Amino acid sequence: MKRLTRRDFLAAGGVVSVATLAAGCSFGTGQQKAAGSGGSKSATIWDISTGDQQKLIKDTVAHFDSTHKDISVSVQFFQNDPYKNKLRTAMGAGNPPDIFFGWGGGILKSYVDAGKVYPLPPNSVDTKKFFSSVMRPVTFNGKVYGVPMLGTQPVLFYYNKEIFGKYNLKPPKTWSELLSIVKTLSQKGVTPITLAGQNKWPDLMYEEYLVNRVGGPKPFQNVLDKKPKAWSDPAFIKANTMIQQLVSMKAFPSNFASLNYDTGQSTQLLYTGKAAMQLMGAWDYQAILSNAPQFIKSGKLGWFPFPKVEGGKGNPQNVAGNLTNYYSVTQASKAKKAATTFLDKGIMNDFEINGLIKIGLVPPVKGIQSKLKQQKDSDWLLFVYDLAQNAPYYDLSWDQALPAQAAQALLTNLDLLFLKKITPQQFSKNMNKAMGL
């Protein structure tokens, strides 16, 4: 099984994926069928999935075609960055595919505002089967513009049970309890939390959770709405003060700024017993399973949700991460009915759901607990499933929700904040300036 990474889920969505463009997938390769989008019963998909996910999509399309003789669906796969430009150009020229791959949120909204995306007619697709939290990024003004087509990847804390047991520690439920654990481990000479600071996006996970726990979703929504001085909201100041408190307490390795997630450096500290915790996306489970299977098989890996912040406005069940990926129908499509039928009957059916679970992904679909319970890693799969399903609010990764330039500025300033080269107040000032707020 191919190791799934954050890149697999974010791909072309933002600055991180730009920096880590997957090699070896040529433009337009993987076309499964030659069918075009011109016929009213022939629909074409543009997708950027790779590896196991690409194979599953091909199989899913083939399964749909074999069971719907009156409709023909084909899929083309592209490199992630060329895909963004190609889709933008095709949308502008009025010749896009019938169905396109996306991330929801700001990018989809820009196409919706331009009248380029087809609102799914009420009851044409069974959207009630999906978690409500993952439908928010594709729902605008009460209309639905896409449906999930891959798994969900919330961010959570992993911990080393052996270290916790040695020092009689329990997974923290509050921020104060987490700080107490950090203090205890530091006194024992154990690195409390590993952090891949070289990649910068792991820093963002602390920012997303702490701002949400302190102030709820509104402070960042104000940023997205481009409210004046939005980054100066007290929730940002407090969250960033809490981050620097962690740094001052030596919660992270002394060389965290040089640790790389993609090469496995940060996660290795967790499963080799050199660090007790790591805040990371659900994709890290597969990484550990690939690199240190005995660590999981021996029951040494534990996990817990991001702790509650005492006195905070945010619901402690809110989560952050990669909600999922989506398929949407273009307004220019001449095969809207066929495309809509594919979205309703062709994806997130038993065939694709079973395939997603098989490659280690958790579909954001209600009522599949029994399927997950049958899996070897059922405890883990059900934890991820419940975390996403029970979340009143699911925060899309901010480097995906923001325009690329603002996202890059955010990662740069977070890096400086973690290195204590700027204050929380300077962070807010810099971000307001970067976004013209």
Side-chain angles (χ1 to χ4, degrees):
M1 182 185 300
K2 174 183 179 290
R3 171 186 160 180
L4 300 171
T5 68
R6 186 177 191 251
R7 180 192 313 168
D8 291 316
F9 296 94
L10 301 186
V15 292
V16 173
S17 56
V18 171
T20 56
L21 177 64
C25 182
S26 62
F27 200 64
T29 60
Q31 183 172 358
Q32 189 175 37
K33 293 175 63 175
S37 60
S40 62
K41 294 183 178 180
S42 177
T44 297
I45 304 169
W46 283 6
D47 196 318
I48 62 164
S49 299
T50 61
D52 289 339
Q53 295 174 55
Q54 184 181 109
K55 183 180 184 305
L56 177 60
I57 294 300
K58 288 180 179 179
D59 292 345
T60 299
V61 168
H63 180 264
F64 176 82
D65 280 355
S66 68
T67 54
H68 293 75
K69 300 299 183 184
D70 58 333
I71 297 176
S72 175
V73 176
S74 63
V75 57
Q76 297 178 24
F77 296 99
F78 302 94
Q79 289 181 342
N80 49 24
D81 276 349
Y83 169 77
K84 287 188 294 184
N85 294 328
K86 184 176 178 66
L87 181 64
R88 187 183 305 114
T89 300
M91 286 287 198
N95 58 359
D98 302 288
I99 300 170
F100 66 99
F101 177 102
W103 302 266
I107 295 175
L108 178 64
K109 182 66 162 48
S110 66
Y111 284 130
V112 169
D113 290 345
K116 302 297 184 182
V117 189
Y118 177 59
L120 300 176
N123 304 318
S124 63
V125 178
D126 179 16
T127 57
K128 293 182 180 178
K129 66 183 178 183
F130 300 113
F131 298 166
S132 57
S133 57
V134 304
M135 292 306 297
R136 180 176 52 82
V138 290
T139 304
F140 308 107
N141 296 322
K143 297 180 180 179
V144 176
Y145 291 89
V147 294
M149 44 75 70
L150 283 178
T152 186
Q153 297 285 308
V155 170
L156 52 114
F157 266 107
Y158 297 85
Y159 74 100
N160 185 314
K161 286 185 176 179
E162 193 171 39
I163 294 176
F164 268 53
K166 182 177 181 179
Y167 298 111
N168 196 29
L169 302 173
K170 295 181 179 179
K173 294 183 178 179
T174 66
W175 186 252
S176 295
E177 291 177 2
L178 178 67
L179 294 183
S180 177
I181 291 172
V182 167
K183 183 178 180 181
T184 297
L185 291 172
S186 293
Q187 290 174 343
K188 300 296 182 181
V190 178
T191 299
I193 308 173
T194 180
L195 175 66
Q198 185 181 115
N199 302 94
K200 297 183 176 59
W201 53 259
D203 301 347
L204 181 58
M205 296 173 178
Y206 288 89
E207 179 81 357
E208 292 165 349
Y209 263 120
L210 284 172
V211 170
N212 194 297
R213 290 285 190 270
V214 170
K218 189 175 180 180
F220 185 65
Q221 185 60 48
N222 286 340
V223 170
L224 295 176
D225 293 340
K226 300 181 179 179
K227 298 286 183 64
K229 307 298 181 186
W231 289 99
S232 296
D233 188 288
F236 288 105
I237 303 295
K238 183 171 183 179
N240 289 336
T241 301
M242 295 164 76
I243 286 173
Q244 292 198 327
Q245 181 184 12
L246 274 183
V247 176
S248 297
M249 292 177 68
K250 302 187 185 306
F252 309 117
S254 58
N255 64 336
F256 76 86
S258 63
L259 290 180
N260 189 306
Y261 176 79
D262 291 335
T263 60
Q265 287 179 314
S266 62
T267 302
Q268 186 180 40
L269 296 182
L270 177 74
Y271 62 72
T272 58
K274 296 179 180 176
M277 296 175 277
Q278 178 167 234
L279 183 65
M280 188 49 64
W283 57 83
D284 206 33
Y285 185 87
Q286 289 297 331
I288 298 172
L289 192 60
S290 297
N291 296 318
Q294 194 57 36
F295 183 67
I296 292 179
K297 291 176 182 177
S298 61
K300 294 180 180 178
L301 178 65
W303 46 81
F304 59 87
F306 196 92
K308 171 185 177 181
V309 172
E310 298 94 325
K313 296 179 181 177
N315 190 317
Q317 288 189 300
N318 290 345
V319 296
N322 305 328
L323 284 66
T324 185
N325 293 111
Y326 304 89
Y327 276 157
S328 299
V329 179
T330 59
Q331 189 63 263
S333 171
K334 294 180 171 61
K336 292 187 180 71
K337 186 175 181 180
T340 303
T341 299
F342 177 73
L343 264 54
D344 186 40
K345 304 296 184 185
I347 58 173
M348 289 301 178
N349 49 21
D350 281 346
F351 182 89
E352 195 196 10
I353 288 173
N354 292 338
L356 288 169
I357 294 173
K358 187 177 180 180
I359 61 174
L361 299 181
V362 175
V365 176
K366 300 174 184 174
I368 61 169
Q369 291 93 331
S370 60
K371 289 180 181 291
L372 300 175
K373 286 179 181 176
Q374 296 171 15
Q375 306 305 309
K376 185 170 57 178
D377 299 332
S378 60
D379 288 351
W380 162 252
L381 293 172
L382 286 167
F383 174 80
V384 173
Y385 184 81
D386 290 341
L387 197 63
Q389 178 176 235
N390 297 331
Y393 181 84
Y394 197 155
D395 215 354
L396 176 65
S397 297
W398 292 1
D399 56 349
Q400 307 304 303
L402 291 170
Q405 187 174 0
Q408 184 60 63
L410 174 59
L411 295 181
T412 298
N413 279 285
L414 273 176
D415 185 41
L416 295 173
L417 183 85
F418 271 76
L419 294 172
K420 299 184 73 173
K421 292 184 176 178
I422 59 173
T423 66
Q425 290 75 17
Q426 287 173 315
F427 172 91
S428 294
K429 182 179 179 181
N430 292 349
M431 286 309 302
N432 284 329
K433 183 178 180 181
M435 292 188 64
L437 303 181

